[in-house]
Amino acid sequence: MTTSTTATDLNQPSLEPTAPTGRKLSLPVLLLVISGVLALTSIVRIITGADGITNVSQMSTALELAVPIGLAGLGGLWAERAGVVNIGLEGMMILGTWFGAWAGFQYGPWTGVLVGIAGGALGGLLHAFVTVTFNVNHIVSGVAINILALGATRYLAPLAFEGHQGGSAKQSPPVDSLGDFTVPGLSDALQTLNEKGWFFVSDLAGLLGGLVTNVSWLTLVAVALIPATWWILWRTAFGLRLRSCGENPVAAESLGVNVYKYKYLAVIISGGLAGLGGAFLSIVANPFYLEGQTSGRGYIGLAAMIFGNWMPGGLALGAGLFGYTDSLNLRGGSENVHALLLLGALLLIIGAIWQAVRKKYVAAAITFVIGALVFTWYATTNEVPNQVVAATPYVITLIVLALSAQRLRMPKADGLPYRKGQGK
């Protein structure tokens, strides 16, 4: 068996997973939508004077914050495409932060990255062992791993870090930098263009400038993993077999696929990617391990995966969105979030008009009312409370999931128990 065509010729179930329902956005349409949102953001920037929402520093910070979220989401995608729900991404990220920093301050940052991946993969192996071999509920196993990882790192941190310069019971000694790069000439040109304050052009320059200014080498690796995942899972026989385990494991087994093996591989890779996200946090984002530094990013990564409809490209957009909202906490948070209230109101009103055009009048009315309330909030205040700024990434997560829920289709066998030979 090499392709799904062979399976069909033999009058047996095809390994090719069913295509998701609903219309797919083509690349030109997607670029048009992104351009429209950027243009609307530019209008909001000009009206409010909140230049920080699209400057180079904001976008560079957003990229850095999006990377661990994207890696966690990518880990979730690998596991769930093979039919295993991985709520334990947060715990695997915690293992990645601890192991990455522990090895990083002793043996160098790149060694720390590799050991961080191994730490997360160890959590993935445990999750696979419990869920695949013993058929324990995937949610229960994931929650247990999150608790176990937190407890294990709290126990190990004092043993490993106390007594070293800069180390304590809750923090590791500093780790050397992996280094970063800035594209000479291009970065300065985009920075200058961004500072002009022109409509759309300056905002586009800010977005692009963030991608070529002070970018960590590990960020390049993380970004490259997005198309690599797409190619492996959708363009290779290995990926076809793995995805078939998440769609119809009984049919896959009938065609000779070792379902257990592929589920194990997928969940171990999932843990390794989450561990890489954790190592990024403790080596790049902060040059040390700090208890609690994942701050729920494993869960947000899972939300980004769901927002992306279990596809790498959509996942990347979701991670970028959540990374951007998270960056508002660090750079002019109150002013920028207040400006984004206007952006949110405009998007909701446009959404209401679109719903009305499609003759969904009830949804259009509800969306319009919400948009009007958000606009009223913007118009009657000059700033938002700091608590709202801190909660923005999590609120955006809930809103995005609520709005996108109707068009989603998870792998058919995702989270379902499977026993070898159960189709006989």
Side-chain angles (χ1 to χ4, degrees), residues 64 113 178-179 216-219 279-288:
E64 182 176 291
V113 169
L178 287 171
S216 167
W217 293 107
L218 192 55
T219 299
F280 185 94
L281 287 173
S282 61
I283 295 176
V284 177
N286 296 296
F288 49 81

Side-chain angles (χ1 to χ4, degrees), residues 84 127-135 260 263-264 267 418-419:
V84 179
H127 187 50
F129 181 69
V130 171
T131 58
V132 177
T133 302
F134 291 102
N135 263 336
Y260 278 17
K263 284 180 178 286
Y264 261 88
V267 181
Y418 167 78
R419 283 289 186 188

